[in-house]
Amino acid sequence: MVENNQTTKTISVEKYGIKNAQVNYQLSSKALHNETLEKGMGKEASSGALAINTGEFTGRSPKDRFIVKDEITQDKVWWGNINIPFSPDKFDALYDKVVNYLSEKEIYVRDSYACADQNYRLNIRVINEYPWSNMFAYNMFLRPNEDELEGFDPEWLIVNAPGFMADPEVDGTRQHNFAILNFSKKIALIGGTGYTGEIKKGIFSALNFILPVFKNTMPMHCSANVGEDGETAIFFGLSGTGKTTLSADPKRKLIGDDEHGWTAENTVFNFEGGCYAKVINLSAENEPDIYNAIKPGAILENVEMDAEGNVDFENTSITQNTRVSYPIYHIDNIQQPSIGKNPKNIFFLTADAFGVLPPISKLTPGQAAYHFISGYTAKVAGTEAGIDEPVPSFSACFGAPFMPLHPTKYAEMLSAKMQEAGVNVWLVNTGWTGGPYGVGKRMALKYTRAMITAAMDGSLEEANKDNYHIHSVFGLQQPRTCPNVPDGVLSPRKTWNNDEGYYKTAHKLASSFKQNFKQFEEFANEEIMAGQPLGGE
Ligand code: ATP
Ligand code: MN
């Protein structure tokens, strides 16, 4: 059932500079679903979910993400090609153009908030040009109840106008699309792109500045769940490494699938109120929780459907990044509110397309810091003919595009918290086995799940106590045996059946690690440097 918390209240947006707009305030999910269909902007899938196309952009555009450089940000933000500066004057001028563009239009406004822990709650007003974008905000942000809506005091404003095209020459953008954060005005200004992920990642980036700088809280690009014993586990990882997939575990309560804060009071809370899952090759067998969450209230993005509205999850003709968003209550087993205790286990997920990292290994504190700062995964070159070499991809803190501060700021916080909490840290390769991409295959999901389960219930440690194999190239503690996983799967070298090729590739990847880490060496102590690979150069 679609939750229906339609309100009769209405609000004016004149104070934002939007004049004579027809405001649809706080429409229910169902109303937005229907509105999208009526306007011919989407279709209904046979599951009852809404299916839309995000248009030109089917993913985020990191090169068009700016931060206004002003008193608040200038000395704190790590400026560069990730956090690209934008002038306050240009922002004001562009903002005026965008609100002028939205004037006279029918628009969608919603009040919501981020951060499930009330002490950290950030109230957000979202103004959307399109109904389905507003429904996305309903799905992904936390939903105030009727009482909370009375006297709602919005702190941050998101202005989202996919149909507005910037003029780079005049507006100071790189091209026609942009996502700009202004910390002084507390505005996220998004235009020229309909990709919904920009909306949620805009607020994530804002919180990644606000929480560490003002609230002594460690923001994390990770998923989280909690076991029957009340133990929290968190899963860091870059896009496509398995945060959403692996946190949806019917035996554990889901806290959240993407963005969390770790507080000084030793709790972990979700920033969001929903999930945003990849649906490429989705099947009911492999990922039942996500599959079953696709029902009325969910929004499918950029998928192909047949005439009956059946989605072909294998079809990537629009994009590989097909998605579904849904409110978290579409998952059966959830933690309410979305808050857990200090984690006991931390997993770093990596999709190693070179197929050389062990499927699971245990990290020392130094290795944990080293791998957190490195943030390794691999990219497989799309489907272009002839290109089948994986490319290593390093993204500090497993989420550099969303981190306004210098990576070492987050790493210091995480190290301190990990030490205090006495967590186990595991590196999990959800990527390739039996050879690199093109030769080997993706690690079976059931084995990854079994390894994670064994790490969490202590049986992995029990089975390998004092007997971890130290990987000769990466120096990682590699278990030799794991409940419900064949021993052979645990040694990537053995799965290759080609020792020479394996070691050559492993050293090559180790070299990439070292090369990438050079930029951080001056900030790293001896313990962290001791966490680097033993091999490579
Ligand atoms: P994002 O940050 O973009 O949301 P994510 O970390 O949440 O990314 P997922 O949405 O969980 O990534 O994507 C993992 C993808 O890899 C899914 O499509 C999943 O089916 C697939 N997959 C295949 N094998 C495995 C495995 N062994 N472990 C985890 N995921 C796997
Ligand atoms: Mn995810």
Side-chain angles (χ1 to χ4, degrees):
M1 266 301 293
V2 174
E3 196 177 87
N4 202 328
N5 60 349
Q6 191 103 20
T7 175
T8 46
K9 200 176 139 186
T10 187
I11 57 152
S12 160
V13 291
E14 300 267 332
K15 62 172 172 278
Y16 303 119
I18 303 173
K19 300 195 183 67
N20 303 320
Q22 188 191 326
V23 176
N24 294 284
Y25 175 66
Q26 214 71 4
L27 294 192
S28 69
S29 166
K30 198 169 177 62
L32 290 165
H33 173 118
N34 292 337
E35 184 95 359
T36 304
L37 297 180
E38 277 159 28
K39 292 204 150 60
M41 299 175 102
K43 292 190 181 125
E44 194 170 280
S46 57
S47 58
L50 177 68
I52 56 99
N53 287 340
T54 59
E56 180 187 355
F57 292 92
T58 57
R60 285 180 308 99
S61 185
K63 288 184 179 149
D64 302 297
R65 208 288 306 250
F66 305 89
I67 296 178
V68 173
K69 191 169 185 174
D70 57 19
E71 273 128 62
I72 295 187
T73 56
Q74 63 187 4
D75 299 329
K76 294 198 175 71
V77 167
W78 187 40
W79 302 105
N81 53 14
I82 291 174
N83 297 304
I84 310 165
F86 204 80
S87 98
D89 293 346
K90 290 273 181 204
F91 178 89
D92 291 347
L94 184 54
Y95 177 89
D96 285 346
K97 279 172 83 169
V98 174
V99 292
N100 195 38
Y101 167 83
L102 290 173
S103 295
E104 318 279 338
K105 285 199 167 54
E106 181 175 11
I107 59 170
Y108 303 84
V109 181
R110 130 162 278 108
D111 286 337
S112 57
Y113 66 100
C115 300
D117 185 326
Q118 296 297 319
N119 295 328
Y120 299 88
R121 174 174 174 151
L122 185 84
N123 281 348
I124 305 166
R125 177 162 289 168
V126 194
I127 299 178
N128 300 104
E129 180 182 3
Y130 299 150
W132 49 266
S133 320
N134 197 248
M135 186 174 160
F136 178 83
Y138 172 86
N139 284 355
M140 296 307 299
F141 293 133
L142 286 147
R143 295 158 286 272
N145 61 33
E146 197 75 29
D147 285 345
E148 290 169 324
L149 275 182
E150 282 302 318
F152 185 91
D153 185 14
E155 188 179 346
W156 269 72
L157 183 69
I158 300 176
V159 180
N160 171 241
F164 174 89
M165 302 295 155
D167 177 353
E169 299 272 293
V170 180
D171 300 323
T173 55
R174 185 182 70 106
Q175 46 180 40
H176 59 277
N177 62 303
F178 53 89
I180 313 174
L181 288 176
N182 186 327
F183 284 93
S184 297
K185 303 215 153 142
K186 301 186 176 181
I187 297 172
L189 186 65
I190 303 166
T193 169
Y195 185 60
T196 53
E198 299 279 11
I199 298 171
K200 83 176 213 111
K201 282 301 200 296
I203 288 299
F204 183 46
S205 302
L207 285 165
N208 288 336
F209 182 85
I210 295 165
L211 292 177
V213 171
F214 302 116
K215 308 235 163 149
N216 192 25
T217 285
M218 160 84 193
M220 307 179 289
H221 188 214
C222 71
S223 58
N225 62 21
V226 48
E228 277 160 13
D229 49 9
E231 302 287 4
T232 303
I234 59 181
F235 305 82
F236 283 93
L238 289 159
S239 187
T241 57
K243 291 184 299 300
T244 300
T245 296
L246 297 168
S247 61
D249 175 343
K251 295 206 187 66
R252 300 174 63 85
K253 289 190 157 83
L254 180 66
I255 299 177
D257 82 326
D258 200 49
E259 310 169 359
H260 293 81
W262 190 354
T263 70
E265 298 94 58
N266 298 328
T267 58
V268 169
F269 67 86
N270 190 359
F271 293 173
E272 302 180 285
C275 303
Y276 192 40
K278 284 181 179 287
V279 295
I280 183 173
N281 301 328
L282 183 72
S283 71
E285 295 70 45
N286 281 335
E287 300 182 64
D289 303 83
I290 294 170
Y291 191 90
N292 293 324
I294 303 176
K295 57 184 184 182
I299 310 173
L300 288 157
E301 293 181 8
N302 303 315
V303 295
E304 290 286 3
M305 304 192 295
D306 66 16
E308 280 79 50
N310 300 309
V311 178
D312 177 1
F313 290 112
E314 257 119 73
N315 189 321
T316 56
S317 59
I318 301 176
T319 175
Q320 303 248 340
N321 189 30
T322 52
R323 293 268 180 175
V324 63
S325 70
Y326 45 85
I328 196 161
Y329 56 77
H330 277 206
I331 296 284
D332 285 334
N333 202 9
I334 56 172
Q335 174 88 338
Q336 283 177 302
S338 306
I339 308 175
K341 295 190 301 193
N342 255 2
K344 193 176 165 209
N345 287 284
I346 295 182
F347 298 91
F348 292 162
L349 308 176
T350 179
D352 173 28
F354 293 94
V356 292
L357 285 174
I360 189 163
S361 48
K362 200 179 164 187
L363 307 187
T364 63
Q367 287 170 338
Y370 183 90
H371 281 271
F372 181 72
I373 295 169
S374 298
Y376 166 70
T377 193
K379 292 213 165 89
V380 289
T383 46
E384 284 166 67
I387 303 176
D388 52 10
E389 269 277 286
V391 184
S393 162
F394 294 94
S395 179
C397 314
F398 296 104
F402 323 116
M403 303 296 167
L405 307 180
H406 192 277
T408 52
K409 287 265 188 289
Y410 304 100
E412 278 162 19
M413 280 186 112
L414 185 68
S415 287
K417 297 215 66 72
M418 288 194 308
Q419 215 160 8
E420 209 184 293
V423 285
N424 296 312
V425 185
W426 310 88
L427 182 67
V428 175
N429 176 9
T430 64
W432 275 254
T433 180
Y437 171 78
V439 178
K441 57 178 184 359
R442 190 95 190 246
M443 180 64 57
L445 194 44
K446 66 172 179 188
Y447 291 148
T448 301
R449 289 197 204 276
M451 289 179 232
I452 284 173
T453 300
M456 291 188 299
D457 69 17
S459 60
L460 184 62
E461 179 73 15
E462 192 56 40
N464 294 277
K465 225 185 292 169
D466 308 320
N467 193 32
Y468 285 99
H469 171 72
I470 304 297
H471 194 283
S472 63
V473 179
F474 296 106
L476 305 163
Q477 302 166 75
Q478 197 181 327
R480 294 175 183 276
T481 177
C482 176
N484 301 316
V485 180
D487 287 353
V489 173
L490 296 170
S491 164
R493 178 182 64 81
K494 284 186 195 145
T495 66
W496 274 52
N497 241 329
N498 167 8
D499 279 11
E500 201 193 323
Y502 175 79
Y503 282 115
K504 204 174 142 215
T505 308
H507 282 288
K508 193 170 125 190
L509 178 60
S511 298
S512 301
F513 264 97
K514 289 180 168 174
Q515 191 62 36
N516 169 69
F517 206 84
K518 284 204 169 96
Q519 57 182 315
F520 303 117
E521 272 176 16
E522 60 176 302
F523 304 97
N525 61 25
E526 250 173 67
E527 189 187 25
I528 297 176
M529 289 316 295
Q532 71 179 338
L534 305 173
E537 50 197 88

